[in-house]
């Protein structure tokens, strides 16, 4: 049987494996998928996870539960030598081993892209995985607990100040969701008020959310301002050392929660391969999702898709002529990639990927949303419902959809759960504190 190795189990990798299970005949190919995590994260839900709108486990799709005919390996791929068609797999425990394959599918996704700004690496937290969203929620709830025991002053202000860097969809959504979450938290503390909380968004460009029209982005700015948020446009973060935020405008304040959403880059695993990489660090690809070299010639038995790939946008709408790194493209590319793999296996011609952006929808806090498709723009409560409806149905697998919608129904009936569990970062602390030890 043909041995197909899928590197990465995110959107593109998961959908490639899932659709291969559907289209492959029994005994036609053996599929192995390798990813360091045992689940796919549905990233559009991360802002709601951070704000307590969705249970964290319901925003991920477990690989082994939903990939019945795929050999799932939870480990890292640390080397790919396509010349010899071998890959080195390194588990978290145990010795690395080498596997042989016939066909490679590189769908390793993207990671947060940062800049060498003092303090960012030490103080900030990203929003690319479920663990980060959980940590943001726990940090904010614990900061409210700490602040409630302090008198008004700089230390309390620091605890109740949230900074989001990056004015794209992820940044605006997490800012809006956390503002709604904080407004609910304030009601639980008699000595804290809405005015004690401070939310800042820092964006280097002169506008936010480039995926929507300028008019729509202005509405979002107005909405955020009415809810007490401070948006700093044409402003760069100069330093975050020790939690002291210094802006290019000269403004300075302190924050105990700094969230970085200012861009992504291809997973560095591509640098451990012998495959061609373009100037932005992505794998070079043709529109049919085959990997190509610098001369445009395809590399035999090598395919790619998703955020790690530089796939030409045949609609002409992509930045620099390539598909932008988002879930819309990753999901659809993964589905087509599976069909193309089967077609190539059966001696048929692969199809080119072409998808015109279906529009953009964002939730910016409870009952606030925005939708944009062409010249059509919808704002407010209706757009918020559209956001929930779209993403509630878009998360893979019906059992996941049911869990997400159940979360929303329960929150509507009983209000969202405001409890944080900050001690989950140090689960043995209580046990160690009181545990009996042998006498010296």
């Amino acid at each position: 049987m043909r041995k197909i190795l899928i590197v990465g189990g995110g959107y593109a990798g998961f959908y490639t494996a899932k659709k291969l299970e559907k289209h492959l005949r029994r005994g036609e190919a053996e599929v192995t998928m390798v990813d360091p995590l045992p689940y796919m994260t549905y990233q559009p839900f991360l802002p709601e996870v951070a704000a307590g709108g969705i249970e964290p486990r319901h925003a991920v799709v477990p690989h082994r539960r939903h990939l019945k005919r795929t050999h799932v390996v939870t480990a890292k791929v640390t080397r790919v030598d396509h010349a010899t068609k071998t890959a080195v797999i390194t588990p978290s425990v145990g010795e690395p081993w080498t596997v042989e394959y016939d066909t490679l599918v590189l769908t390793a996704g993207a990671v947060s892209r940062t800049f060498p700004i003092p303090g960012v690496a030490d103080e900030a937290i990203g929003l690319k995985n479920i663990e980060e969203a959980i940590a943001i929620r726990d940090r904010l709830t614990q900061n409210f607990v700490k602040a409630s025991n302090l008198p008004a002053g700089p230390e309390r202000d620091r605890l109740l100040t949230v900074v989001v860097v990056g004015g794209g969809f992820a940044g605006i959504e997490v800012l809006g969701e956390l503002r709604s979450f904080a407004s609910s938290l304030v009601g639980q503390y008699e000595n804290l008020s809405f005015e004690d909380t401070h939310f800042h968004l820092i964006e280097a460009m002169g506008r936010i959310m480039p995926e929507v029209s300028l008019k729509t982005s202005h509405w979002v700015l107005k909405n955020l301002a009415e809810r007490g948020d401070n948006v700093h446009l044409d402003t760069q973060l100069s330093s975050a050392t020790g939690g002291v935020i210094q802006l290019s405008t000269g403004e300075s304040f302190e924050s105990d929660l700094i969230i970085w959403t200012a861009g992504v880059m291809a997973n560095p695993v591509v640098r451990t391969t012998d495959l061609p990489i373009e100037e932005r660090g992505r794998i070079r690809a043709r529109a049919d999702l085959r990997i190509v070299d610098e001369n445009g010639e395809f590399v035999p038995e090598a395919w790619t898709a998703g955020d790690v790939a530089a796939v030409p946008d045949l609609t002409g709408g992509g930045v620099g002529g390539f598909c932008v790194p988002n879930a819309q493209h990753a999901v659809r590319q993964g589905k087509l990639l599976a069909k193309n793999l089967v077609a190539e296996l059966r001696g048929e011609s692969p199809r080119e990927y072409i998808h015109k952006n279906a529009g953009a929808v964002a939730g910016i806090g409870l009952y606030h949303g925005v939708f944009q498709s062409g010249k059509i723009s919808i704002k407010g409560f209706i757009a918020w419902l559209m956001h929930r409806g779209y993403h509630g149905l878009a998360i893979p697998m019906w059992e996941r959809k049911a869990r997400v919608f159940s979360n929303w129904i329960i929150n509507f009936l009983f209000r969202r759960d405001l409890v944080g569990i900050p001690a989950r970062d140090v689960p043995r602390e209580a046990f160690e504190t009181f545990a009996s030890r042998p006498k010296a």
Side-chain angles (χ1 to χ4, degrees):
M1 287 193 295
R2 177 81 64 90
K3 294 181 179 180
I4 300 174
L5 175 65
I6 302 175
V7 180
Y11 290 111
F14 177 84
Y15 274 97
T16 299
K18 190 66 179 173
K19 293 304 177 181
L20 280 175
E21 291 187 348
K22 177 181 178 181
H23 298 305
L24 284 172
R25 302 186 187 108
R26 189 168 295 277
E28 198 168 19
E30 177 185 286
V31 181
T32 299
M33 187 181 76
V34 185
D35 192 276
L37 298 172
Y39 48 76
M40 184 210 90
T41 301
Y42 190 72
Q43 293 179 5
F45 281 156
L46 293 182
E48 284 203 61
V49 171
I54 295 176
E55 160 66 30
R57 289 176 301 167
H58 300 166
V60 300
V61 182
H63 292 151
R64 285 182 171 82
R65 176 168 184 172
H66 296 292
L67 297 175
K68 300 298 185 182
R69 293 167 52 197
T70 301
H71 178 46
V72 176
V73 179
T74 305
K76 292 181 179 180
V77 172
T78 51
R79 176 66 189 168
V80 174
D81 187 352
H82 193 64
T84 60
K85 292 190 176 180
T86 58
V88 177
I89 298 177
T90 304
S92 58
V93 177
E95 295 297 319
W97 71 91
T98 300
V99 297
E100 297 180 349
Y101 62 83
D102 299 306
T103 302
L104 176 71
V105 176
L106 193 54
T107 53
V111 298
S112 294
R113 180 193 62 180
T114 59
F115 306 103
I117 300 171
V120 167
D122 301 316
E123 304 290 342
I125 185 170
L127 192 65
K128 281 292 291 177
N129 57 55
I130 198 72
E131 294 81 5
E132 290 173 327
I134 295 170
I136 290 170
R137 171 182 167 82
D138 288 341
R139 172 72 69 85
L140 187 58
T141 54
Q142 183 66 358
N143 281 358
F144 267 79
V145 171
K146 294 176 179 178
S148 68
N149 295 321
L150 294 173
E155 190 174 356
R156 191 169 81 170
D157 288 343
R158 175 190 173 99
L159 291 168
L160 298 179
T161 297
V162 176
V163 173
V164 178
V165 184
F169 261 58
I172 295 298
E173 286 189 308
V174 75
L175 180 76
E177 290 290 350
L178 290 182
R179 166 49 86 186
S180 293
F181 185 47
S183 297
S184 298
L185 282 171
V186 164
Q188 295 195 325
Y189 299 92
E190 62 277 359
N191 60 333
L192 297 180
S193 66
F194 177 86
E195 289 71 23
D196 293 324
T197 61
H198 310 282
F199 281 73
H200 297 265
L201 182 124
I202 303 167
E203 170 54 49
M205 294 175 59
R207 61 162 297 177
I208 60 170
M209 303 174 76
E211 300 89 346
V212 304
S213 69
L214 191 60
K215 183 179 179 181
T216 300
S217 72
H218 286 164
W219 180 89
V220 174
L221 286 172
K222 181 181 177 182
N223 177 273
L224 294 173
E226 290 173 348
R227 294 161 60 195
D229 295 332
N230 302 287
V231 178
H232 307 263
L233 298 179
D234 291 314
T235 304
Q236 296 181 0
L237 177 65
S238 300
S239 175
T241 302
V244 178
I245 305 299
Q246 295 182 359
L247 305 181
S248 58
T249 58
E251 188 176 354
S252 179
F253 50 87
E254 294 190 33
S255 172
D256 194 61
L257 180 53
I258 305 166
I259 304 168
W260 182 274
T261 66
V264 297
M265 65 179 184
N267 193 316
V269 71
V270 302
R271 302 171 196 162
T272 68
T273 75
D274 57 350
L275 297 168
I277 300 173
E278 47 93 72
E279 54 273 8
R280 295 188 63 184
R282 298 172 297 179
I283 295 291
R284 295 180 184 272
R286 294 202 331 186
D288 60 9
L289 306 178
R290 287 188 282 192
I291 296 176
V292 296
D293 60 22
E294 293 79 359
N295 301 317
E297 299 295 326
F298 73 88
V299 179
E301 302 294 350
W303 304 74
T304 187
D307 293 357
V308 78
V311 178
D313 189 341
L314 300 184
T315 68
V319 178
F322 296 99
C323 296
V324 297
N326 64 22
Q328 265 191 56
H329 287 307
V331 169
R332 288 170 173 81
Q333 287 172 9
K335 293 178 179 180
L336 177 63
L337 179 48
K339 292 180 180 179
N340 282 351
L341 283 168
V342 174
E344 193 256 354
L345 185 64
R346 297 172 184 171
E348 302 169 4
S349 299
R351 293 193 295 112
E352 292 185 329
Y353 175 76
I354 181 168
H355 169 69
K356 188 173 182 180
N357 195 317
V361 62
I364 51 177
L366 206 57
Y367 311 131
H368 302 271
V370 62
F371 168 80
Q372 180 88 47
S373 180
K375 294 183 179 180
I376 300 174
S377 177
I378 301 174
K379 313 172 189 72
F381 180 71
I382 299 299
W384 176 78
L385 287 177
M386 294 172 67
H387 170 264
R388 286 206 159 179
Y390 173 80
H391 285 297
L393 293 174
I395 187 171
M397 317 315 301
W398 281 104
E399 62 95 9
R400 292 287 120 174
K401 303 180 201 294
R403 294 178 191 275
V404 167
F405 278 106
S406 296
N407 281 177
W408 289 334
I409 292 171
I410 291 172
N411 288 345
F412 176 76
L413 294 175
F414 302 106
R415 295 186 299 178
R416 68 171 136 197
D417 198 333
L418 302 177
V419 175
I421 311 175
R424 79 175 99 199
D425 292 333
V426 284
R428 295 189 66 251
E429 185 177 60
F431 180 81
E432 287 183 287
T433 300
F434 302 105
S436 296
R437 302 180 184 276
K439 294 181 180 180

